[in-house]
Amino acid sequence: DQPHVSDPQVMVEFENGNFNFTFPNPKNVSEFSMILFKGSEKKEICALHLSEERVISKSNVTYCQTYNSSSSTTFILKNLERKHIDIYTYCLEIFLPPPYIDCCLKETYLYIQDKEDCFSLGLVSWIIIGLIIFAISCVCCVVACCLRNKNQKCDSNSHEYNSEYMPMAAVNAAKKPRI
């Protein structure tokens, strides 16, 4: 049996805040490595080496873990932030049986929405709405106070000395007859 490397269907899942990249293991192979690279410069972030004797897991970052089953290998990316947005490339190296095969099979662009961005945008909009409501309330209070003061001034000026009539147009006081 020859080693068989098919074009794997990567399964990308978002589960419990983690991104899971799951790849099928190559068939008829006794020793291989799977590596996950980040970015166009292909910085290795985690890898899994599987041989008949053992499974060696390696991670160069805190946010990547590996999981291996008999049929697949999963790279688990945890606690991702906006700075982790990039292209992630999966590569497979087959050591045994010969010949040695090295191939990069899949690239996936990963976009992460920052939680803080959503919160801060919501917070800023609520602050703006609050300030607008406060300004409108202040304007209404000032207008109400001015109207109240104006009415009080009118009321106090309209009561002439002994007049019991409602405020009317100003009339000169009657003069005493001259004898």
Side-chain angles (χ1 to χ4, degrees), residues 44-168:
E44 182 180 316
I45 58 171
C46 54
L48 183 98
H49 182 83
L50 189 118
S51 65
E52 290 178 347
E53 298 89 39
R54 59 188 170 158
V55 175
I56 301 170
S57 184
K58 175 181 149 188
S59 179
N60 295 327
V61 293
T62 57
Y63 59 90
C64 185
Q65 294 178 344
T66 57
Y67 172 76
N68 181 262
S69 70
S70 59
S71 61
S72 65
T73 298
T74 302
F75 294 105
I76 304 165
L77 302 180
K78 297 182 170 194
N79 303 319
L80 297 180
E81 298 173 3
R82 192 168 184 84
K83 65 183 178 185
H84 298 115
I85 294 173
D86 217 328
I87 295 173
Y88 289 82
T89 307
Y90 155 79
C91 291
L92 171 68
E93 292 178 288
I94 298 177
F95 300 104
L96 292 175
Y100 170 78
I101 300 173
D102 181 15
C103 56
C104 290
L105 297 173
K106 228 32 164 178
E107 283 189 351
T108 302
Y109 180 77
L110 195 60
Y111 178 80
I112 296 102
Q113 176 84 29
D114 245 0
K115 295 170 193 160
E116 291 84 25
D117 285 352
C118 295
F119 176 73
S120 65
L121 288 176
L123 184 64
V124 168
S125 62
W126 281 111
I127 288 173
I128 291 171
I129 290 170
L131 288 173
I132 290 171
I133 291 172
F134 178 74
I136 291 171
S137 300
C138 288
V139 168
C140 290
C141 288
V142 167
V143 168
C145 286
C146 287
L147 290 175
R148 195 171 117 208
N149 287 342
K150 185 177 180 182
N151 286 340
Q152 284 177 353
K153 286 180 183 175
C154 290
D155 288 347
S156 64
N157 289 343
S158 65
H159 295 297
E160 292 189 12
Y161 301 106
N162 291 325
S163 175
E164 292 181 10
Y165 295 101
M166 291 183 70
M168 301 178 108

Side-chain angles (χ1 to χ4, degrees), residues 2-10 23-27 29 34 90 92 94 101 103-106:
Q2 289 294 318
H4 183 270
V5 180
S6 62
D7 182 22
Q9 295 300 314
V10 61
F23 301 93
N25 290 339
K27 305 230 185 310
V29 174
M34 290 190 185
Y90 155 79
L92 171 68
I94 298 177
I101 300 173
C103 56
C104 290
L105 297 173
K106 228 32 164 178

